[in-house]
Amino acid sequence: MNKPFWTKWRHLMFVLLVPLVTSGCGERYLVLNPAGPVARIEQRLIILTIVMVLIVVIPVIILTAVIVARYRDRPDRTAPYMPEWSESKVLEVVWWGIPIVIIGIIGTFTVRDTFRLVKPQLPEAPLTIQVTSLNWKWLFQYPDQNIATVNYCKIPTNRPVEFVLTSDAPMNSFWVPQLGGQEYTMPGMAMRLWLQADKPGVYFGHGANFTGKGYAKMAFDVVATDAQGFDQWTKQVKASAPPLTKQGYKNLTTKQDIVGKQEFSSFPPGMFEADIRINGGMYMKHQLKEATD
Amino acid sequence: MPASVTNFATHFFVLGDPLIYGADASIVLVTLAILFVLTYFKKWGWLWREWLTTVDHKKIGIMYLIAALLMFFRGGVDAILMRTQLVWPGMHFLQSEHYNEIFTTHGTIMILFMAMPFIFAMFNIAVPLQIGARDVAFPYLNAISFWMFFFGAMLLNLSFVIGGSPDAGWVSYPPLAGPEYSIGPGENFYLLALQISGIGSMGTGINFFVTILKMRAPGMTLMRMPLFCWSVLAASILIILAFPALTAALALLLFDRLAGSHFFTMLAGGNPMMYINLFWVWGHPEVYIVVLPAFGIFSEVVATFSRKRTFGYASMVASLMTIVVLSYLVWAHHFFTMGAGPGVNSFFALASMIIGIPTGVKVFNWLFTMYRGRIRMTAPMLWTVGFIPNFVIGGATGVMLASAPTDYQYHNSYFLIAHFHQVLIGGVVYGMLAGMYYWWPKMFGHMLNERWARHAFWWFNIGFYVCFMPQYLVGLMGMTRRIYDYPGDMGWNTLNLVSTIGAYMMGIGFILLVLDVVYSIFYGERDKTGDPWDGRTLEWSLPSPAPHYNFARIPIVTARDAWWIMKEARRGDLTDVSTTEGVESVRVTQSKQTAPQSLKQSGPLQPIHMPKDSGRPFVLSVCFFIFGWGLVFQWYWMAIPGFLGILASLLARSFEKETSYHIPVEEIEKTEAAYGRL
């Protein structure tokens, strides 16, 4: 410990940088590589907050190193020593003030974006997809197209998609990082999440809230294609896939297992709403109304 | 063997996992070893008289410390097991169910059975000595608190080998933790263990609240208290107001599980959101309950080892109290993504960010306490200085998480995991270890070896960054928490590998820390003065370890940093007064006149009124353990006698008349003379 303190910290900084360097490619950072307007609003706010907090973090870390190096107790130390100095109105105002200003700025943008993300501007009619988290799979129902899929869904690009979320199992959370932040799926309730993809691609999605044994395998894909491709795909599913029967749905829910991707050419009408009702939605009239609107 | 017996055994004992068989074997061996040692060295009486029945805050503090370190080990082993499973995708080290149990017990143990007893250890060891008291306000309750915690912890730990551990996460949200999805006794263990130890925590909160308000030595006004005492006062207020919410949540969930009620089921009109709200109304203040005492310790350590008065004392107190109030207004930030409207989310986002302001202020005050001081980089100071960058980064990512729209992206990802480990390890663990090194000589009469301490610190500190910095990144890559396996094509592999290496480095750091303790027990420098660090507060005016009654004469306090002022006056050293403002020099001059009086502590010694030891807190807690155990397995033949035992213990106390005694003057004289202080 006779070396100056900062040499230790230099090693530390090196250690900090290792993971950054080794992890390489930037497009792996899904959250920072948005593919739609919702994720983009969130990504911009993330970058803003990072910059704002660094205004405090970096000086404080430097200050810590400098103060420790300068005021270490050594026989030949000539730095001033003022053991009774313990008050300074000016300094106190400065460091109550700086965080207040920074929090003020972050807070303003936070509130703005919180309200902005509630509903998107709608140049086009949204596509509605009803999502049910099950043990341990994802069921997607397209009420307008009357098709259903398991563990993946297709969406058209440049069109807002309204995901209506519920769960017929313990609560999970529906997260597609490149399209936008997550929202919980809860039994007996219908939650809404608006997402949109600007460009075609296969977007990684995963359940984000623990639901037991098979939870780790609850990944799904959100595949974005242009509107034409989407229509073709729905037609193809309608033509080739088997229908989802009530018994088929029961099999999906009661067999607690992990399955691959599946498609269905139809599903029993009103199944999603009925599911919410019997899982407790009947006690929450406003929820039920919202789900069936 | 009859089928019913085999059936019982397979449900009662956890079978089929070599790791658990290993645990079984080690538990049996350790138990046998302890029994053997106690019997061989004829220590049963000693154990009962000196420890199991004690109401002495210093001994209770030591027991809390030992328990906390043991639980730190258990929780740490859990962490190492998890990181080993996650080192690379497709590992077959742990099965899913086993992994789920381990992350559940890791979280539960680290928060409730490591962090809590660790802060209580520090409360007990330091507070009465710092405020010039002879014990806490309610010594008997203090013993109950410890034993309730202890048996709660035992109950949870036994679940690993008997009946199966809880596996619904440390937050235990219904419906996953409800009777439908969590079959078996695991969740019952969780609910009852937390409930029993929660009673202990509540007792401690009340005890130290009253102790600090009512038991201060004459002259010690609130604004002359050491900052650690302020932080304990703040944490006690939080405990008193927050724990009832947890008690209610756990009790109602237990009713759902055992009695078929529907508080937290969606069916029959319940709502799991009520649990989630209750849990976090406790849960967020809880993180401040554990971190505020750490702040208090840092304040003590920084001032002592910079040989300087704490900078901005009033500001420090104000920020502590601001945090107390604000910490009740932030709980919903744990579920921004559960469908709250933008108004609600905005409110809780702003409140959560605002709480960062007083916290940031404290960091600046610590830095400027060091500024123009004379910094000695001893072990406690090393952990304190290590804490600052850690907590600044952790606090910054906390502000980032508080911003609701960005939280939609961080929530339940590894970014969140990295954040809260950074504030809980970087804040609480670093703080408690700083406190442990700092007060170790006061507890045991010898120092911990500095060389070992430095090695332990650097392994742990560097290991921390290696372990958790990659987790921020992997979170931004979309990796979610609580998964035992992950896809190999997401770019997460290297970062997870690095993180695991870091976890092992922290493990090495912990082993070195334990070795330091073992080494120092035999070879550590003995503390003959009672004031090895040249301290500032009253605990350093006493011999190490302090006598049973703490203060032969209650000191008269004339200023903040009471012991420092007394020493200054003794040295007649007023050279520094010239540098301070007018008010300060008046204060020091005044203290010079009054201090020698309190130093010599003239006047005859008086007999000291002390509480009697009692075995009943232990018995009461054993009854709670039996009661809890019975409920876990729904064995009412066992629960009912346990409950009757509880009632009997409480009744017996009510009829007890002689709960205290006086230490005669001759005995005090003898003790003081042995310390060379008469």
Side-chain angles (χ1 to χ4, degrees), chain A residues 71 73 79 84 92 182 208 213, chain B residues 96 315 374-375 411-412 580:
Chain A
Y71 297 100
D73 191 19
E84 294 289 323
E92 298 252 12
Q182 63 197 278
K213 189 181 166 193
Chain B
S96 172
S315 209
R374 278 290 176 268
I375 302 169
H411 184 83
N412 276 352
T580 61

Side-chain angles (χ1 to χ4, degrees), chain B residues 170-380:
Chain B
W170 86 278
V171 293
S172 190
Y173 285 169
L176 183 62
E180 193 185 346
Y181 293 104
S182 285
I183 303 153
E187 278 305 312
N188 299 347
F189 271 118
Y190 169 93
L191 293 168
L192 285 151
L194 264 61
Q195 197 69 284
I196 291 172
S197 66
I199 298 171
S201 303
M202 190 72 191
T204 304
I206 294 169
N207 217 334
F208 281 85
F209 182 73
V210 178
T211 303
I212 290 171
L213 290 185
K214 302 297 285 184
M215 309 265 294
R216 281 168 288 132
M220 182 171 279
T221 59
L222 284 174
M223 289 305 272
R224 283 177 184 166
M225 278 202 308
L227 276 169
F228 178 66
C229 293
W230 266 109
S231 73
V232 173
L233 182 65
S236 299
I237 295 170
L238 286 174
I239 290 173
I240 293 168
L241 295 175
F243 264 79
L246 177 71
T247 305
L250 297 175
L252 297 180
L253 186 55
L254 191 70
F255 289 151
D256 275 9
R257 288 183 58 83
L258 297 186
S261 61
H262 290 278
F263 292 105
F264 302 134
T265 59
M266 278 301 288
L267 292 175
N271 193 336
M273 283 311 292
M274 294 195 295
Y275 176 89
I276 294 169
N277 273 289
L278 280 172
F279 185 87
W280 287 113
V281 163
W282 162 79
H284 204 85
E286 166 66 14
V287 303
Y288 287 98
I289 289 169
V290 291
V291 87
L292 290 184
F295 289 174
I297 290 171
F298 293 131
S299 299
E300 300 297 311
V301 168
V302 164
T304 302
F305 295 104
S306 305
R307 282 215 182 82
K308 190 158 164 286
R309 282 163 61 82
T310 305
F311 194 89
Y313 178 93
S315 209
M316 290 292 226
V317 172
S319 58
L320 276 175
M321 288 299 145
T322 314
I323 292 171
V324 167
V325 175
L326 286 176
S327 71
Y328 289 108
L329 304 175
V330 299
W331 80 91
H333 72 212
H334 293 271
F335 43 94
F336 282 144
T337 53
M338 287 188 183
V344 171
N345 276 356
S346 295
F347 174 84
F348 284 100
L350 289 178
S352 310
M353 288 177 195
I354 289 169
I355 207 165
I357 297 171
T359 317
V361 166
K362 296 187 80 69
V363 172
F364 283 111
N365 278 328
W366 288 315
L367 283 178
F368 275 76
T369 304
M370 291 192 265
Y371 178 76
R372 299 200 167 164
R374 278 290 176 268
I375 302 169
R376 289 172 288 161
M377 290 306 277
T378 54

Side-chain angles (χ1 to χ4, degrees), chain B residues 400-560:
Chain B
M400 291 168 66
L401 277 153
S403 173
T406 65
D407 179 73
Y408 304 158
Q409 289 281 28
Y410 306 136
H411 184 83
N412 276 352
S413 79
Y414 262 85
F415 190 90
L416 169 78
I417 306 304
H419 157 72
F420 74 68
H421 280 92
Q422 187 143 32
V423 284
L424 285 173
I425 295 177
V428 182
V429 174
Y430 280 38
M432 293 308 124
L433 292 177
M436 185 185 89
Y437 279 101
Y438 183 57
W439 283 309
W440 190 274
K442 192 49 64 190
M443 286 184 268
F444 298 104
H446 66 83
M447 319 283 287
L448 287 174
N449 181 278
E450 285 282 322
R451 208 179 130 78
W452 282 96
R454 278 197 297 274
H455 283 290
F457 170 76
W458 284 110
W459 275 100
F460 197 90
N461 191 45
I462 294 174
F464 177 85
Y465 287 93
V466 177
C467 184
F468 289 102
M469 293 300 120
Q471 294 189 8
Y472 280 119
L473 302 178
V474 88
L476 295 176
M477 290 178 161
M479 183 166 170
T480 50
R481 70 195 294 197
R482 293 175 177 155
I483 51 177
Y484 75 99
D485 193 10
Y486 50 91
D489 57 352
M490 300 295 295
W492 303 346
N493 307 7
T494 318
L495 289 168
N496 274 295
L497 173 67
V498 173
S499 180
T500 301
I501 292 169
Y504 275 88
M505 291 171 72
M506 293 169 78
I508 292 170
F510 181 76
I511 291 170
L512 290 171
L513 192 143
V514 173
L515 289 178
D516 187 5
V517 169
V518 175
Y519 174 88
S520 303
I521 287 172
F522 296 105
Y523 307 112
E525 188 192 325
R526 304 294 124 166
D527 171 28
K528 300 259 169 26
T529 61
D531 187 14
W533 307 118
D534 197 8
R536 311 178 70 83
T537 41
L538 283 175
E539 72 269 35
W540 305 111
S541 70
L542 297 169
S544 299
H548 174 49
Y549 46 78
N550 298 350
F551 296 90
R553 291 186 187 83
I554 298 294
I556 296 158
V557 176
T558 53
R560 207 176 290 158

